[in-house]
Amino acid sequence: QVQLVESGGGVVQAGGSLRLSCEASGRTSSQFTISWFRQAPGKEREFVATIWRGRNTYYEDSVKGRFTISRGNGAYTVYLQMNSLKPDDTAIYYCAGDSGLILSSIRGHRNYDYWGQGTQVTVSS
């Protein structure tokens, strides 16, 4: 089993910044991929960002240039730095992990076995 714990959400004004953290523990492996997703009320859960094999990063188009995903010093800590936040970024943000992904599957939330509890991000206009 793997446990994922997010932290760092909150309320911020448009244009502000937040940093989310996700720490994985348990039976992870070198192939364990951690990604960020978000879900706004009434909308599908959508891919935000991933760091692939600890090196390559991929982003949803609307967050490119504003969000940065990175790994912490620990192998299974991942951060999401969110700058220039917009009201449309308001959502519950989840980190998700899995060891059995291939690159073409990283954007599909149904491909992940492990999820954190979610952290609310609210951006006011």
Side-chain angles (χ1 to χ4, degrees):
Q1 281 290 345
V2 174
Q3 295 78 42
L4 299 174
V5 178
E6 304 107 334
S7 60
V11 180
V12 65
Q13 287 190 328
S17 299
L18 286 172
R19 189 175 82 156
L20 306 183
S21 301
C22 175
E23 185 167 350
S25 60
R27 301 183 69 175
T28 55
S29 70
S30 61
Q31 304 300 310
F32 195 79
T33 297
I34 295 177
S35 300
W36 287 96
F37 288 79
R38 66 185 180 185
Q39 189 165 18
K43 293 189 175 181
E44 286 278 321
R45 191 166 297 191
E46 68 171 355
F47 172 80
V48 176
T50 195
I51 185 162
W52 179 251
R53 298 295 184 258
R55 186 171 57 216
N56 298 324
T57 57
Y58 300 90
Y59 297 94
E60 193 267 331
D61 284 348
S62 70
V63 307
K64 283 180 183 176
R66 300 189 298 122
F67 290 12
T68 303
I69 189 170
S70 62
R71 298 196 84 107
N73 288 332
Y76 303 111
T77 300
V78 173
Y79 300 107
L80 185 68
Q81 178 66 43
M82 306 185 295
N83 298 329
S84 302
L85 282 161
K86 305 175 181 179
D88 283 349
D89 295 317
T90 296
I92 299 174
Y93 283 69
Y94 298 91
C95 64
D98 201 278
S99 295
L101 296 172
I102 56 175
L103 186 57
S104 60
S105 67
I106 59 172
R107 296 175 184 267
H109 65 86
R110 292 181 176 85
N111 299 322
Y112 291 77
D113 283 341
Y114 301 103
W115 290 85
Q117 79 283 1
T119 185
Q120 177 71 46
V121 171
T122 302
V123 184
S124 61
S125 57

